[in-house]
Amino acid sequence: MATPVMDKVEAEAASSPYITATFRIRRFNPEVAAEAYWEDFQVEIDPKERVLDALHKIKWDMDGTLTFRRSCAHGICGSDAMRINGRNRLACKTLIKDLAPEKPITVEPIKGLTVQKDLIVDMEPFFQAYRDVMPFLVSHGNEPTRERLQSAADRERFDDTTKCILCAACTSSCPVYWNDGQYFGPAAIVNAHRFIFDSRDEAGEQRLEILNDKDGVWRCRTTFNCTDACPRGIEVTKAIQEVKRALITRRF
Amino acid sequence: MQIHKYDTVIVGAGGAGMRAAIEATKRSRTAVLTKLYPTRSHTGAAQGGMAAALANVEEDNWEWHTFDTIKGGDYLVDQDAAEILAKEAIDAVLDLEKMGLPFNRTPQGRIDQRRFGGHSRNHGEAPVRRACYAADRTGHMILQTLYQNCVKEGVEFFNEFYVLDQLIIEADGVKRSAGVVAYELATGEIHVFQAKAVVYASGGNGKFFKVTSNAHTLTGDGQASVFRRGLPLEDMEFFQFHPTGIWRMGILLTEGARGEGGILRNKDGERFMEKYAPVMKDLASRDVVSRAIYTEIREGRGCGPEGDHVYLDLTHLPPEQLDAKLPDITEFARTYLGIEPYTDPIPIQPTAHYAMGGIPTNVRGEVLADNTTVVPGLYAAGEVACVSVHGANRLGTNSLLDINVFGRRAGVAAAEYAATADHVELPEDPAAFVVGEVERLRDAAGKERVAELRRELQETMDKNVMVFRTEQTIKEAVEKLAELRARYRNVSIQDKGRRFNTDLLEAIELGNLLDLAEVMAISALARKESRGGHYREDYPNRDDVNFMRHTMAYREVGDDGTETVRLDYKPVVQTRYQPMERKY
């Protein structure tokens, strides 16, 4: 059992080097003012903490009106996708030390969805696109008494896209989505992929037809923003390419 | 204020709520109210697996599973309920597979299974492979699969609606549910939902601890709403501390890590669980392992400069196995600790994880008004409820099972009841309580701050009613909680608006946590024995003569308005298993 790394981690923890970081947050509350604006907060914090911890410090000890969504605080629930230093990330999965905290850290709502208050956006169009791709297993005929059989290799085929937590980091990082409110967006395609490539599913053709629409996969310009943004490490662009290929070959 | 009328209203959209919704929507006009979006629910954070004696990889049967559940719960489990849990587990897993859940597979293409704490072959002989799993994302897959099927069935959701009150009408000595009152986050509007049947599936209340695996939103809103209306809460002193939370942060690292062969070590590198549980070792039940970890720490064998944690060692496992079976938790170690689990052990400490207690129900999910009387039209399932299948300590993988088995049962029972019952007439001014609380908090000018009271609450709970308890520490907690509850009356908030006022809701959630923390402490003080997750250093033995019974806590309001918690007790249902000494 090796311990050198542990000694380092524990030594750092023991000295707890607090820093003062500036959080530059995009504020908007239409109850108070029609225009959004930037507001700076100085936060004394351990740089090994999360951006979410800093937002909590601000809300709890400085300004209770600061509004954002969050729940699990460790990258599983998908509530706190936001634009941090110009890049989409989960606030609970982003450590302050990884953001060059000597400069102001900017925090804005994700783009392409209507801002409702501070960092909260209207998620409804995002979930509507998800619902539109038939995101559920479809099978016909009699069900087996026990489980359906599926080989480990067939299960592996769609493993990557089962990881999606519907945080919208990918969709709201997509320039096509920003400029065109009709595009399904990467997350919906990822969730279609999850079923199209599931050997147990029988509605692949229908989903492909939905995505063959003028607002479907062909809008993708492979800028890879989505892949960079995904906090679950899903190869989003690759999944979209696989759906495109399936549309051409009708093999999946 | 808006008034809505439904047959069935489900409160909460985690595993239990959505499993109930799939059944209820097929049978009745159903609305699901959730304070989050459904896929944000904390079911998604569950990792390791869902128990069912499928016997896909080795011999197993539901009778062994029943026994393990009862023994794991230190004989406080209602044995009829445990038998249902274990029997219906098999169909519950198969149903999820048919709904599309991507379980890991065996080489034969069947659902794969792995070992988990407390699950054994033939009444404790050796660990058994009973946990059905999808890597270390089983809860995520269950939550996604159930949401997918809710979309398929056209379940009607009211997202970001906080249920803040339960409407109860009492006539001829019978308490009936008339509906619920909810607060809409986006607008601040109050909504009354009149319903023939209400199902609570709103999850746990672990956020009154500081080091916890629970989400920020797990504030016991459902438990607090029914308790405030005079209904009991059962076994609230029993709280599970999961052995392996990330040091200081509490983020869960699945027991599946030990199921895959991970080992707990102290600062000397010793595999200390061999001393405490010679047969099951690192896979003893969670209460046993958590106590063992703290014993090591107290006796000076903890790791780090402050000796305040131990190691979860995965370094002897092949990296391919970690990647395939434990991808998420190894990533948590990298992200939050900067540690590479291939080569370095992970610092861990027990983390507040799961409420065994909750709203008492029978096996149909019907809520109880006392030891035997059902509240017509009121149901509960999942962590918010206490059936009791978990007794004094829940086995790992039995909660994902519980939400599916009893979520389904509650959904069916509620919708069937709604098909025959009439709506109960709403009380006059049904939203009065919620409107009053919301207005009071919006207008309050007191000096107390929500965050400060919450910090003090969490500190006193961690210090006094965690893994080890004594009369003195619990009394300290009781006194502190009385002080905090008094100070809570002087809380003020900064956000006075109506739109997305999370400042206001955090204040309301804190009120719920304070109420429930008091119930827990008072229940713990009265239980002068050690059983499962409730360990009293001043009463270190289990006492079946005096305490083989469930605690039932009621809120009493005196003529002068003072609130107290009254305790009563309910017998444990025993069928075929006599209590024995618990060894692993």
Side-chain angles (χ1 to χ4, degrees):
Chain A
M1 192 177 70
T3 55
V5 173
M6 280 317 307
D7 294 343
K8 194 173 116 244
V9 169
E10 282 152 357
E12 278 175 14
S15 63
S16 63
Y18 274 61
I19 60 162
T20 301
T22 301
F23 283 82
R24 183 161 294 166
I25 300 177
R26 192 73 177 158
R27 304 295 307 267
F28 174 63
N29 182 0
E31 275 186 302
V32 178
E35 295 297 317
Y37 61 97
W38 293 99
E39 185 171 7
D40 283 5
F41 295 92
Q42 310 290 326
V43 184
E44 203 180 316
I45 197 159
D46 182 337
K48 290 192 295 301
E49 290 197 73
R50 300 160 273 200
V51 170
L52 180 63
D53 296 315
L55 295 176
H56 273 146
K57 271 186 201 271
I58 295 167
K59 182 173 184 67
W60 293 344
D61 300 333
M62 299 161 84
D63 182 354
T65 68
L66 179 66
T67 305
F68 48 92
R69 292 190 176 103
R70 76 345 179 202
S71 188
C72 79
H74 66 285
I76 290 299
C77 77
S79 299
D80 63 350
M82 42 190 88
R83 209 168 148 80
I84 299 167
N85 279 355
R87 213 188 111 190
N88 281 6
R89 318 173 202 238
L90 298 181
C92 63
K93 242 188 140 173
T94 307
L95 303 192
I96 292 160
K97 68 179 174 63
D98 299 330
L99 290 171
E102 57 283 359
K103 288 182 290 195
I105 295 164
T106 62
V107 184
E108 309 162 72
I110 47 177
K111 287 171 73 172
L113 294 158
T114 308
V115 181
Q116 294 178 312
K117 184 178 174 184
D118 291 346
L119 303 170
I120 291 186
V121 300
D122 179 10
M123 294 294 288
E124 193 42 41
F126 172 81
F127 278 105
Q128 187 57 51
Y130 166 81
R131 290 192 290 266
D132 285 345
V133 300
M134 302 171 65
F136 41 79
L137 191 80
V138 176
S139 64
H140 307 294
N142 294 330
E143 286 188 336
T145 316
R146 296 282 297 195
E147 70 264 48
R148 292 186 197 82
L149 298 183
Q150 182 170 52
S151 73
D154 282 347
R155 165 64 180 80
E156 183 61 26
R157 179 66 190 87
F158 62 101
D159 186 63
D160 201 35
T161 46
T162 64
K163 296 189 299 198
C164 176
I165 55 174
L166 297 168
C167 67
C170 61
T171 293
S172 64
S173 74
C174 173
V176 181
Y177 190 81
W178 297 338
N179 296 327
D180 175 354
Q182 302 303 307
Y183 174 44
F184 280 95
I189 301 170
V190 159
N191 282 279
H193 178 283
R194 178 253 171 273
F195 289 101
I196 291 167
F197 293 94
D198 186 335
S199 60
R200 301 169 298 173
D201 184 79
E202 296 173 46
E205 287 285 349
Q206 280 168 270
R207 275 187 214 95
L208 285 174
E209 272 321 305
I210 293 168
L211 294 174
N212 201 17
D213 185 86
K214 66 178 170 56
D215 299 314
V217 286
W218 305 113
R219 285 289 172 98
C220 169
R221 291 284 173 268
T222 56
T223 51
F224 283 89
N225 282 19
C226 51
T227 302
D228 292 340
C230 180
R232 302 285 289 153
I234 299 169
E235 294 182 89
V236 181
T237 314
K238 183 180 168 203
I240 296 173
Q241 292 302 98
E242 287 177 353
V243 172
K244 287 180 184 169
R245 201 172 311 126
L247 262 169
I248 295 165
T249 62
R250 295 286 164 167
R251 273 210 304 262
F252 46 88
Chain B
M1 184 183 79
Q2 290 187 38
I3 296 187
H4 310 257
K5 207 166 177 176
Y6 282 87
D7 292 330
T8 307
V9 161
I10 295 168
V11 182
M18 290 204 282
R19 190 68 190 79
I22 288 167
E23 300 302 328
T25 297
K26 289 174 187 166
R27 296 170 171 86
S28 66
R29 194 162 167 268
T30 300
V32 181
L33 316 185
T34 165
K35 75 176 184 179
L36 305 169
Y37 277 78
T39 57
R40 313 301 184 217
S41 304
H42 212 51
T43 295
Q47 297 167 354
M50 171 170 166
L54 299 182
N56 276 2
V57 290
E58 62 181 315
E59 187 187 0
D60 196 8
N61 66 61
W62 62 260
E63 194 271 325
W64 295 350
H65 185 185
T66 307
F67 171 78
D68 289 338
T69 299
I70 292 165
K71 178 184 169 188
D74 220 348
Y75 296 91
L76 196 69
V77 171
D78 286 324
Q79 298 188 3
D80 55 339
E83 187 167 320
I84 287 169
L85 182 82
K87 267 187 194 166
E88 295 187 5
I90 294 160
D91 276 341
V93 167
L94 298 177
D95 283 350
L96 285 172
E97 195 285 325
K98 285 165 194 172
M99 287 186 207
L101 198 139
F103 285 106
N104 276 41
R105 299 287 173 156
T106 66
Q108 294 75 36
R110 299 209 165 275
I111 294 169
D112 199 9
Q113 300 188 272
R114 67 176 164 205
R115 294 180 179 134
F116 236 81
H119 290 281
S120 74
R121 175 163 54 86
N122 195 18
H123 313 97
E125 274 181 13
V128 72
R129 295 172 198 273
R130 186 179 289 147
C132 310
Y133 67 98
D136 54 357
R137 327 188 160 108
T138 316
H140 164 77
M141 298 300 189
I142 288 176
L143 190 70
Q144 295 292 326
T145 300
L146 291 175
Y147 183 59
Q148 289 155 5
N149 280 270
C150 284
V151 171
K152 188 177 184 179
E153 298 292 338
V155 171
E156 190 178 352
F157 288 101
F158 289 80
N159 297 325
E160 299 190 321
F161 274 57
Y162 287 63
V163 170
L164 300 181
D165 194 20
Q166 166 63 40
L167 298 174
I168 298 274
I169 299 292
E170 190 163 356
D172 307 324
V174 180
K175 288 177 173 152
R176 289 171 192 280
S177 168
V180 297
V181 184
Y183 175 100
E184 184 181 1
L185 181 66
T187 61
E189 197 173 358
I190 310 289
H191 297 255
V192 174
F193 286 82
Q194 188 179 15
K196 295 173 181 175
V198 170
V199 182
Y200 277 92
S202 45
N205 50 272
K207 211 56 199 174
F208 54 42
F209 288 103
K210 184 173 159 203
V211 176
T212 175
S213 63
N214 279 210
H216 287 284
T217 42
L218 287 173
T219 51
D221 308 339
Q223 294 90 323
S225 291
V226 304
F227 183 67
R228 199 184 304 117
R229 291 296 177 184
L231 297 177
L233 294 177
E234 181 176 349
D235 288 343
M236 291 295 281
E237 66 270 40
F238 293 102
F239 206 92
Q240 176 164 86
F241 301 92
H242 191 291
T244 53
I246 288 183
W247 176 44
R248 290 186 176 171
M249 298 182 84
I251 295 171
L252 180 68
L253 300 178
T254 177
E255 192 168 294
R258 283 170 282 139
E260 293 290 341
I263 291 170
L264 295 172
R265 297 189 191 279
N266 61 20
K267 73 168 184 186
D268 304 320
E270 181 194 6
R271 183 181 194 179
F272 58 85
M273 278 313 300
E274 288 176 334
K275 293 184 293 193
Y276 300 90
V279 177
M280 298 292 279
K281 298 189 177 83
D282 300 272
L283 289 175
S285 68
R286 289 176 178 174
D287 56 331
V288 172
V289 180
S290 285
R291 276 195 294 279
I293 291 171
Y294 271 123
T295 304
E296 292 295 304
I297 289 171
R298 283 174 153 201
E299 293 178 358
R301 292 185 295 277
C303 308
E306 291 170 47
D308 59 353
H309 56 276
V310 299
Y311 289 139
L312 172 63
D313 183 9
L314 307 175
T315 57
H316 54 293
L317 302 176
E320 313 82 71
Q321 186 184 353
L322 297 183
D323 293 349
K325 303 291 183 68
L326 303 167
D328 278 2
I329 64 136
T330 44
E331 195 198 312
F332 294 157
R334 292 179 194 117
T335 302
Y336 296 111
L337 293 168
I339 280 182
E340 177 46 69
Y342 295 160
T343 52
D344 291 293
I346 307 167
I348 57 97
Q349 72 179 95
T351 179
H353 186 54
Y354 187 88
M356 269 74 75
I359 302 170
T361 74
N362 61 22
V363 294
R364 284 168 46 83
E366 295 170 306
V367 170
L368 300 176
D370 53 37
N371 284 5
T372 49
T373 315
V374 160
V375 182
L378 196 58
Y379 301 79
E383 191 174 346
V384 71
C386 180
V387 183
S388 157
V389 287
H390 308 306
N393 171 65
R394 173 175 71 72
L395 289 190
T397 67
N398 267 356
S399 61
L400 289 179
L401 177 56
D402 177 10
I403 59 177
N404 278 287
V405 167
F406 289 99
R408 181 184 156 279
R409 282 179 158 253
V412 171
E416 284 178 351
Y417 175 81
T420 59
D422 292 323
H423 282 96
V424 173
E425 208 173 312
L426 290 173
E428 213 172 304
D429 201 1
F433 169 76
V434 173
V435 171
E437 276 298 286
V438 166
E439 293 306 324
R440 181 182 72 76
L441 282 164
R442 255 201 210 109
D443 299 339
K447 289 205 165 49
E448 297 289 353
R449 296 297 310 270
V450 169
E452 178 54 30
L453 294 192
R454 188 172 44 216
R455 264 192 285 269
E456 291 184 35
L457 164 69
Q458 292 171 343
E459 270 159 26
T460 197
M461 296 299 278
D462 271 23
K463 181 164 164 255
N464 295 311
V465 287
M466 244 185 51
V467 172
F468 290 110
R469 304 166 174 178
T470 67
E471 175 147 334
Q472 194 197 332
T473 66
I474 302 169
K475 276 187 171 159
E476 209 171 292
V478 170
E479 277 168 30
K480 181 70 183 177
L481 290 167
E483 176 210 311
L484 292 173
R485 281 162 55 84
R487 287 166 60 193
Y488 179 71
R489 302 309 296 176
N490 295 318
V491 140
S492 65
I493 55 174
Q494 288 176 297
D495 193 338
K496 310 288 186 186
R498 298 191 177 273
R499 197 179 173 85
F500 291 95
N501 191 339
T502 52
D503 203 24
L504 170 71
L505 286 156
E506 282 193 36
I508 291 172
E509 290 171 332
L510 172 65
N512 293 339
L513 287 176
L514 285 168
D515 286 355
L516 298 175
E518 185 183 44
V519 176
M520 170 189 250
I522 288 174
S523 302
L525 189 60
R527 186 172 283 277
K528 294 178 176 174
E529 65 155 354
S530 291
R531 185 186 294 271
H534 171 73
Y535 191 83
R536 289 280 301 256
E537 292 186 86
D538 42 355
Y539 299 95
N541 298 315
R542 198 174 76 199
D543 176 359
D544 289 340
V545 175
N546 294 304
F547 288 105
M548 180 81 161
R549 52 187 192 171
H550 299 291
T551 306
M552 299 285 275
Y554 296 82
R555 175 176 178 265
E556 303 264 295
V557 184
D559 295 335
D560 59 350
T562 53
E563 293 175 18
T564 48
V565 176
R566 175 175 67 83
L567 298 184
D568 195 1
Y569 292 91
K570 186 174 85 162
V572 173
V573 178
Q574 271 182 276
T575 54
R576 54 173 138 166
Y577 300 101
Q578 288 304 309
M580 294 186 301
E581 194 193 348
R582 194 153 152 267
K583 283 186 184 156
Y584 281 101

